[in-house]
């Protein structure tokens, strides 16, 4: 989704934040009156077996408050087939809200469904892997999990319930993934919007820098001590602050090569077990490589040296090998590069030309440390 830079004084529409955010330990119970004020017949949307018990508890809580609850399950990532099936099933049932409870793809599907049904949207993230609970944007995938494109929504959710007790039950791997995705905000926004003359975008970019600094300081401790102070700061950073940046900065402040590499990697079946942020973290390393090698950017080499050990400490993939692509064929890797370099890809927000061949080199060498030059 590439757009022309904003001209001074031109009009832009913003969906900056959910109408209400309730966060912290016990946020879900605290939010029940707000949920009841938004709807009487919510559709609760979820997906994985791992979160089934949590969703059942949410449904019981809603029923006890006198709400009529219907549940729907996704079969795939946020994909058109699932959405159309559930949209058709919900017609005539009088549902007046979608409550999406799960990871980023469930939240994306729930937001899009609520947008299409024109009903209230409530997001309940069950991991801190994503800021999807916050934003007015959904990513669409094929039933096989290949990235297809993103879709802007009319508004951010009406209510985001960010319950730390629920997030605490998610696997540590999802938080590490969220950290990588949130770190990408700085590396991408500073490239796509670093020279913007628009004040709001300048402020969003600076917020991305502060977010990065906080993650550099707190991430390792957060993973080490779930539920502790650093953990609370980091889940809020990944699930909320990352969303603020997307909301303030808008589409022009979003993604560059790190996410384009992610989108390319989703084209490979062999990579589907790898989480969104895990692919994006690898994508940041690739982007920094490109900036260094093709853009002659020395700061990028320094950033790469700083980031690589952190990603490794967090057990995040830093090489094709780590991504499960050790045995990938040249053709498969070419497919990744072709997709990432296709016309209209966010990769082209880099200030220099990237060919699929150059990208391939950066993919293969993502984890190589470059020598320190003075
Ligand atoms: Zn992302």
């Amino acid at each position: 989704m590439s757009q022309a830079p904003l001209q001074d004084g031109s009009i832009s529409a913003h969906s900056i934040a959910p109408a209400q955010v309730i966060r912290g330990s016990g946020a879900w119970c605290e939010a029940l009156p707000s949920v009841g004020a938004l709807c009487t017949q919510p559709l609760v949307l979820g997906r994985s077996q791992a979160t089934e018990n949590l969703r059942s508890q949410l449904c019981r809580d809603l029923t006890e408050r006198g709400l009529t609850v219907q549940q729907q399950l996704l079969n795939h990532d946020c994909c058109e087939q699932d959405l159309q099936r559930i949209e058709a099933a919900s017609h005539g049932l009088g549902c007046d809200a979608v409550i999406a409870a799960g990871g980023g793809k469930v939240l994306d599907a729930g937001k899009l469904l609520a947008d299409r049904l024109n009903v209230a949207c409530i997001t309940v993230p069950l991991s801190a892997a994503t800021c999807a609970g916050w934003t007015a944007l959904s990513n669409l995938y094929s039933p096989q999990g290949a990235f297809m494109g993103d879709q802007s929504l009319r508004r951010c959710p009406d209510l985001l319930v960010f319950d730390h007790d629920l997030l605490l039950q998610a696997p540590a791997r999802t938080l590490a993934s969220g950290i990588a995705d949130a770190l990408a905000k700085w590396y991408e926004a500073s490239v796509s919007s670093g020279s913007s003359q628009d004040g709001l975008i300048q402020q969003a970019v600076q917020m991305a820098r502060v977010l990065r600094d906080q993650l550099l300081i707190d991430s390792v401790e957060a993973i080490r001590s779930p539920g502790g102070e650093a953990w609370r700061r980091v889940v809020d950073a990944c699930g909320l602050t990352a969303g603020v940046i997307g909301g303030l900065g808008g589409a022009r402040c979003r993604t560059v090569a790190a996410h384009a590499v992610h989108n390319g990697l989703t084209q490979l079946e062999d990579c589907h077990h790898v989480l969104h942020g895990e692919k994006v973290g690898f994508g940041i390393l690739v982007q920094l490589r490109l900036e260094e090698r093709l853009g002659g950017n020395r700061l990028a080499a320094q950033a790469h040296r700083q980031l690589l050990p952190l990603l490794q400490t967090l057990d995040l993939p830093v090489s094709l090998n780590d991504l499960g692509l050790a045995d990938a064929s040249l053709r498969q890797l070419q497919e990744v590069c072709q997709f990432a370099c296709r016309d209209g890809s966010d990769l082209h927000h880099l200030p220099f030309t990237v060919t699929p061949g150059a990208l391939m080199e950066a993919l293969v060498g993502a984890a190589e440390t470059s020598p320190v030059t003075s």
Side-chain angles (χ1 to χ4, degrees):
M1 199 169 59
S2 61
Q3 296 181 15
L6 268 186
Q7 301 300 312
D8 282 348
S10 63
I11 294 170
S12 59
H14 294 263
S15 297
I16 293 179
Q20 192 180 17
V21 179
I22 302 181
R23 69 170 175 136
S25 279
W28 168 251
C29 287
E30 198 64 33
L32 283 169
S34 300
V35 176
L38 283 169
C39 60
T40 55
Q41 301 189 69
L43 182 161
V44 174
L45 187 70
R47 180 176 175 194
S48 84
Q49 285 214 314
T51 55
E52 196 182 337
N53 287 341
L54 285 179
R55 284 197 311 274
S56 299
Q57 183 60 50
L58 303 186
C59 290
R60 276 197 298 277
D61 293 339
L62 294 167
T63 307
E64 275 172 23
R65 286 194 69 89
L67 278 73
T68 306
V69 179
Q70 47 160 320
Q71 276 206 72
Q72 288 284 350
L73 292 179
L74 296 168
N75 295 323
H76 309 285
D77 295 342
C78 178
C79 82
E80 204 49 69
Q81 284 80 347
D82 264 350
L83 284 165
Q84 287 178 11
R85 172 178 59 80
I86 295 170
E87 194 180 339
S90 60
H91 280 313
L93 293 173
C95 112
D96 55 3
V98 175
I99 301 179
K105 284 160 184 162
V106 171
L107 301 174
D108 274 1
K111 290 185 297 183
L112 197 45
L113 190 63
D115 192 81
R116 288 182 184 178
L117 294 171
N118 205 14
V119 297
C121 177
I122 299 165
T123 48
V124 187
L126 298 182
S127 87
T130 172
C131 62
W134 185 286
T135 56
L137 188 79
S138 292
N139 284 336
L140 273 164
Y141 295 84
S142 75
Q144 290 74 36
F147 175 83
M148 311 271 290
D150 53 28
Q151 196 165 333
S152 295
L153 308 174
R154 275 174 284 186
R155 60 177 196 269
C156 292
D158 299 282
L159 172 63
L160 162 58
V161 185
F162 201 71
D163 189 326
H164 288 181
D165 297 337
L166 296 175
L167 301 171
L168 202 45
Q169 300 182 48
R173 181 185 171 201
T174 58
L175 180 56
S177 178
I179 291 167
D181 200 27
L183 282 168
K185 293 280 176 206
W186 162 252
Y187 297 99
E188 296 192 297
S190 59
V191 167
S192 65
S193 310
S195 57
S196 172
Q197 296 305 306
D198 184 296
L200 213 53
I201 292 175
Q202 288 173 349
Q203 288 140 27
V205 173
Q206 288 314 308
M207 198 180 288
R209 185 178 53 76
V210 173
L211 171 66
R212 177 206 61 179
D213 290 347
Q214 177 125 47
L215 292 171
L216 290 177
I217 292 167
D218 277 334
S219 290
V220 174
E221 176 60 20
I223 296 283
R224 200 175 288 151
S225 308
E229 288 296 331
W231 180 89
R232 286 181 192 279
R233 284 194 293 274
V234 168
V235 294
D236 286 352
C238 297
L240 309 178
T241 315
V244 181
I245 294 162
L248 270 185
R252 282 159 298 278
C253 193
R254 262 189 200 116
T255 68
V256 186
H259 274 81
V261 168
H262 158 277
N263 297 343
L265 288 169
T266 65
Q267 306 304 310
L268 298 186
E269 183 80 43
D270 292 351
C271 214
H272 284 171
H273 64 286
V274 181
L275 301 176
H276 171 88
E278 293 175 329
K279 296 189 188 90
V280 172
F282 173 77
I284 301 173
L285 294 176
V286 173
Q287 179 179 317
L288 291 171
R289 267 284 100 97
L290 292 170
E291 289 181 71
E292 179 194 348
R293 300 272 164 85
L294 302 180
N297 182 345
R298 285 222 200 133
L299 284 175
Q302 199 182 327
H304 186 279
R305 276 194 296 277
Q306 180 184 40
L307 192 62
L308 180 69
L310 175 68
L311 299 185
Q312 287 170 319
T313 307
L314 298 175
D315 245 341
L316 286 160
V318 299
S319 64
L320 291 174
N321 210 349
D322 294 348
L323 290 166
L325 298 176
D327 299 324
S329 66
L330 184 62
R331 233 177 99 182
Q332 285 179 305
L333 296 179
Q334 280 169 339
E335 192 187 338
V336 172
C337 295
Q338 294 288 358
F339 191 89
C341 292
R342 75 198 192 286
D343 282 352
S345 166
D346 286 350
L347 183 126
H348 301 305
H349 291 147
L350 285 168
F352 44 82
T353 306
V354 181
T355 62
L359 179 59
M360 173 79 84
E361 224 171 280
L363 280 187
V364 172
E368 282 167 21
T369 45
S370 54
V372 182
T373 52
S374 56

